[in-house]
Amino acid sequence: MNARRSEATAKIVHTSDPHPVIETITKTEELAAACARFATQPYVTVDTEFLRETTYYPLLCVAQIASADEAIVVDTLAEGLDLAPFLELMANRNVMKVFHAARQDIEIVWHMAEIIPQPIFDTQVAAMVLGYGDSISYDQLVQRVTGDSIDKSNRFTDWSRRPLSEAQLRYAVSDVTHLRDIYLKLTGELEQRNRIDWVSDEMNVLTSPDTYRAEPEQAWRRLKTRVRKPKELAVLMEVAAWREREAQQRDVPRGRVLKDEVLGDIATQAPSSLERLAHMRSIPKGFERSRWGQDVIDAVKRGIERDVKSLPSLDRQRQSAAGSAIVELLKVLLRMTSEQNGVAAKVIATADDLDAIAADDNADVPALHGWRRELFGTKALALKHGKLVLAIEKGRVVAREKTA
């Protein structure tokens, strides 16, 4: 682990002051004292600023935390302070941790200490459940809930450069102080509409360690490259696993090793020698002469030698015309359900869910379980089997049970 990730500085703001002075915390005991105060609160809001353009693992540069009357900004690249108090707070099950679009923030904590912050509340998920839109951005949500506009000028600043400017610190603080208002607003709406449990179901995915484990053997699953033959899939799995391990060991982005599209080309062409690898147009010039050239050839060989019976099924086979038509009807039903119930379509069902339902009534997808099945899944199956019909009524799509 990079030693710089275990060091921290913090800034504290007492938000009761209309013109707060942001003071720098440079001692571990001061950070520990702040986190101890947070540990007595029912909830804290959390955000992070990080870089990962040049690394495999995200480099945490700044972490912000706020309670009802206090906020701190943690400069995680400063020397001399231990992040242990922050990590202890993240693991404290008596304090709700509130994030917006939590996945990357949680990923950072996981990679630092294999800790999953719990319990958590993701305001982006809650907003989708309440019909604020698909994957609504933080600044859009702030505008809709509080009426305030966020200064975006520091969003893409280099958070690794020091010293941090006053503008950067105020931007960081505003992220977690606005988040308090959003949290209180959304939880109130969820309670009024009896949808607290809907959000809780989504949090189970975000708090599962499996969500953040980057297993090299599973790296092929994140690729958009489509392969048609089992042997192509076998080669893709081996080459993707090699690239994942290489990127992890070197702590560089996957694309710095080989780009996704190159992996797809290797899978389909399966070069068996360095000479054939060099003749591939997508391979960087001179790559075959590096030590990684032979690694790729070895990975291709392992893929070719794999027993095709041991391979997972290829993702999605080409749909029949009838299957495609069913998916299109399900999309219409999904949009109608989303609009009628004030829930983002993306939360109810994904494109993969619709494909799976079109192919199999018993598909193991979220859309056929829990509240999603009650809201959409049962109707989707009825539509698929002609027991439900869609019609236009006063310019809107409506669903009706088919009469004899």
Side-chain angles (χ1 to χ4, degrees):
M1 181 181 297
N2 189 329
R4 297 174 72 191
R5 296 179 191 170
S6 65
E7 300 169 347
T9 306
K11 311 275 185 179
I12 285 189
V13 174
H14 296 282
T15 56
S16 59
D17 184 347
H19 301 288
V21 176
I22 304 178
E23 299 178 355
T24 302
I25 293 179
T26 58
K27 298 182 182 299
T28 301
E29 56 267 28
E30 293 176 332
L31 177 60
C35 289
R37 293 192 295 273
F38 288 140
T40 67
Q41 301 296 313
Y43 74 90
V44 293
T45 56
V46 187
D47 189 31
T48 63
E49 310 296 343
F50 57 90
L51 296 177
R52 67 184 317 165
E53 287 82 0
T54 60
T55 60
Y56 179 89
Y57 298 104
L59 174 63
L60 180 60
C61 300
V62 173
Q64 308 95 279
I65 316 168
S67 64
D69 54 11
E70 179 180 2
I72 70 172
V73 179
V74 184
D75 176 0
T76 55
L77 300 184
E79 296 183 0
L81 291 179
D82 192 346
L83 269 183
F86 167 71
L87 296 172
E88 290 171 7
L89 179 64
M90 293 299 98
N92 188 333
R93 290 180 176 268
N94 295 320
V95 182
M96 176 69 74
K97 271 71 68 175
V98 181
F99 300 87
H100 182 82
R103 188 178 294 254
Q104 289 187 314
D105 300 306
I106 294 174
E107 179 189 7
I108 288 171
V109 177
W110 169 256
H111 283 307
M112 289 175 62
E114 292 195 351
I115 289 172
I116 299 290
Q118 293 193 54
I120 69 165
F121 183 93
D122 189 326
T123 57
Q124 186 178 70
V125 173
M128 289 193 286
V129 164
L130 292 168
Y132 282 77
D134 284 0
S135 303
I136 186 169
S137 68
Y138 182 66
D139 56 292
Q140 290 173 329
L141 192 55
V142 169
Q143 176 65 38
R144 291 187 60 176
V145 171
T146 71
D148 294 335
S149 296
I150 292 179
D151 180 0
K152 303 178 185 179
S153 59
N154 283 290
R155 172 173 297 177
F156 300 111
T157 189
D158 183 351
W159 289 96
S160 68
R161 296 187 65 179
R162 294 298 181 269
L164 294 168
S165 69
E166 189 71 14
Q168 285 177 304
L169 295 174
R170 293 192 184 283
Y171 171 87
V173 166
S174 69
D175 271 356
V176 285
T177 53
H178 283 304
L179 195 54
R180 297 177 305 197
D181 298 328
I182 292 171
Y183 170 64
L184 297 175
K185 170 72 171 176
L186 296 187
T187 51
E189 290 186 27
L190 289 168
E191 289 173 354
Q192 290 176 358
R193 299 173 68 176
N194 295 317
R195 294 184 179 180
I196 287 286
D197 289 343
W198 294 16
V199 175
S200 298
D201 288 346
E202 292 300 298
M203 297 306 101
N204 291 334
V205 175
L206 287 172
T207 55
S208 170
D210 290 339
T211 302
Y212 308 99
R213 289 192 180 105
E215 301 291 348
E217 290 70 26
Q218 302 300 318
W220 66 275
R221 295 185 181 277
R222 60 170 294 278
L223 297 171
K224 295 181 180 179
T225 299
R226 297 296 180 187
V227 290
R228 294 183 173 85
K229 301 175 182 178
K231 281 299 182 185
E232 294 175 354
L233 175 60
V235 173
L236 181 68
M237 292 172 68
E238 290 292 342
V239 176
W242 165 80
R243 185 184 69 165
E244 198 76 11
R245 287 190 292 268
E246 192 66 30
Q248 290 174 350
Q249 291 169 6
R250 293 163 55 190
D251 194 16
V252 297
R254 299 177 182 93
R256 290 280 185 91
V257 181
L258 279 179
K259 295 187 180 302
D260 288 359
E261 57 267 28
V262 179
L263 299 193
D265 290 345
I266 293 172
T268 55
Q269 297 185 41
S272 57
S273 67
L274 292 175
E275 183 180 5
R276 291 188 178 184
L277 183 67
H279 287 162
M280 291 181 57
R281 295 181 61 182
S282 58
I283 289 290
K285 186 177 180 179
F287 180 86
E288 75 284 357
R289 295 193 299 272
S290 70
R291 66 179 178 85
W292 303 296
Q294 187 59 49
D295 289 344
V296 169
I297 298 302
D298 292 342
V300 170
K301 182 180 179 181
R302 290 194 298 273
I304 291 174
E305 292 175 348
R306 289 187 67 152
D307 182 357
V308 295
K309 294 180 181 178
S310 69
L311 300 175
S313 299
L314 290 170
D315 278 341
R316 283 186 287 179
Q317 302 299 324
R318 189 171 298 173
Q319 290 181 340
S320 65
S324 297
I326 293 172
V327 170
E328 292 305 312
L329 285 174
L330 292 177
K331 288 179 180 178
V332 175
L333 178 66
L334 178 60
R335 286 194 295 269
M336 183 203 76
T337 305
S338 170
E339 293 171 0
Q340 288 182 347
N341 293 276
V343 185
K346 183 178 180 179
V347 173
I348 301 172
T350 65
D352 286 344
D353 287 351
L354 300 186
D355 287 341
I357 292 170
D360 182 3
D361 287 2
N362 298 308
D364 186 15
V365 294
L368 292 182
H369 294 287
W371 65 268
R372 292 178 177 84
R373 185 182 184 100
E374 182 179 346
L375 196 69
F376 171 76
T378 300
K379 293 178 182 177
L381 294 174
L383 179 64
K384 176 182 173 181
H385 292 287
K387 297 178 181 179
L388 192 74
V389 296
L390 299 178
I392 304 296
E393 187 175 283
K394 296 181 180 179
R396 300 177 67 88
V397 177
V398 296
R400 297 173 182 162
E401 292 186 8
K402 186 176 181 180
T403 57

